[in-house]
Amino acid sequence: MDTGVPECLFCKIVSKQLNAKIIYEDHLLMAIEDINPVAPVHVLIIPREHIGSLNAVNEDQLHILGHIQVAASRIADQLGIAANGYRLVNNCGEWGGQTIYHLHYHLIGGVKLGWPPL
Ligand code: 5GP
Ligand code: ZN
């Protein structure tokens, strides 16, 4: 079994070497509860394949990004936040607030969110 990048936390989670509360999974991704939620619903959507950040996505991986967005809407519906609305966020790089360098999207909802982020 491919266990990804050995030192990567999210590779360990998607290969189940580390535990997480799994909300949904399929052949391309895993969706888990964030360990430090910032809202009533805070799910991390993580591709199984190790991709360092949005900056590292290549043309062969476009289907993964599309799959993540459609899965996010399905998960939002499943969790009962689709009708009121929610946010799907990718933090890219240091200034974007990325702390784990395995691509992931935050699905955040269950409360009315503020904007802008500054
Ligand atoms: P980033 O800052 O890279 O966009 O997001 C990383 C997210 O991963 C943070 O929201 C953080 O709370 C979450 N996180 C960090 N370590 C763990 C962990 O071990 N398990 C889970 N489920 N989430 C984690
Ligand atoms: Zn990884």
Side-chain angles (χ1 to χ4, degrees):
M1 181 174 59
D2 180 11
T3 53
V5 173
E7 65 277 12
C8 173
L9 179 72
F10 285 170
C11 282
K12 288 181 182 156
I13 286 176
V14 297
S15 65
K16 298 187 176 167
Q17 294 171 69
L18 283 179
N19 284 330
K21 178 79 190 300
I22 299 169
I23 300 295
Y24 169 82
E25 62 181 321
D26 63 29
H27 63 299
L28 289 177
L29 64 80
M30 181 179 280
I32 63 171
E33 283 185 357
D34 196 292
I35 205 168
N36 185 24
V38 298
V41 173
H42 189 170
V43 173
L44 299 174
I45 304 180
I46 306 169
R48 291 191 181 280
E49 183 175 348
H50 181 91
I51 303 169
S53 80
L54 194 56
N55 287 340
V57 174
N58 65 43
E59 300 290 319
D60 297 335
Q61 295 163 327
L62 296 181
H63 65 291
I64 299 174
L65 302 192
H67 189 79
I68 286 172
Q69 293 201 55
V70 174
S73 73
R74 302 286 186 271
I75 294 165
D77 187 44
Q78 184 188 317
L79 296 178
I81 61 168
N84 281 338
Y86 55 88
R87 193 166 293 159
L88 184 65
V89 176
N90 170 252
N91 296 329
C92 184
E94 185 186 353
W95 282 20
Q98 185 172 7
T99 58
I100 298 188
Y101 281 79
H102 177 135
L103 180 68
H104 55 281
Y105 287 73
H106 300 254
L107 173 62
I108 298 166
V111 68
K112 189 168 173 53
L113 299 166
W115 189 263
L118 287 181

